[in-house]
């Protein structure tokens, strides 16, 4: 399933890299991309949404609205 997560606390490309690494650690097969300007992370994964949110918030980021594609 694909998710687009609003992460309003993304401030730089380092944030996107850290979030991507945290998700990839949980699902090495996940396809992850980030949009710094839009403050979004798009993930194609079999992980549940709650697990994605937990991985991101564990890094100190907030997760806003999520859409499923």
């Amino acid at each position: 399933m694909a998710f687009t997560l609003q992460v309003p606390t993304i401030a730089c490309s380092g944030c996107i890299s850290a979030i991507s690494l945290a998700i990839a650690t949980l699902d090495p097969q996940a396809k992850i991309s980030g949009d710094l300007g839009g403050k979004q992370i798009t993930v194609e994964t079999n992980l549940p949404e709650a697990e994605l949110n937990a991985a991101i918030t564990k890094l100190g980021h907030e997760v806003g609205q999520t859409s499923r594609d």
Side-chain angles (χ1 to χ4, degrees):
M1 177 166 282
F3 298 94
T4 300
L5 308 154
Q6 284 296 132
V7 185
T9 53
I10 289 177
C12 63
S13 60
C15 295
I16 292 173
S17 295
I19 291 169
S20 297
L21 180 60
I23 294 169
T25 299
L26 296 173
D27 179 4
Q29 304 303 316
K31 294 179 183 172
I32 308 158
S33 63
D35 175 9
L36 181 58
K39 297 185 182 275
Q40 294 179 333
I41 300 290
T42 301
V43 184
E44 189 173 324
T45 182
N46 290 322
L47 293 172
E49 181 181 342
E51 206 166 331
L52 293 174
N53 291 346
I56 294 169
T57 57
K58 187 174 183 179
L59 295 172
H61 289 283
E62 298 173 13
V63 179
Q65 183 177 356
T66 300
S67 62
R68 297 178 196 186
D69 302 327

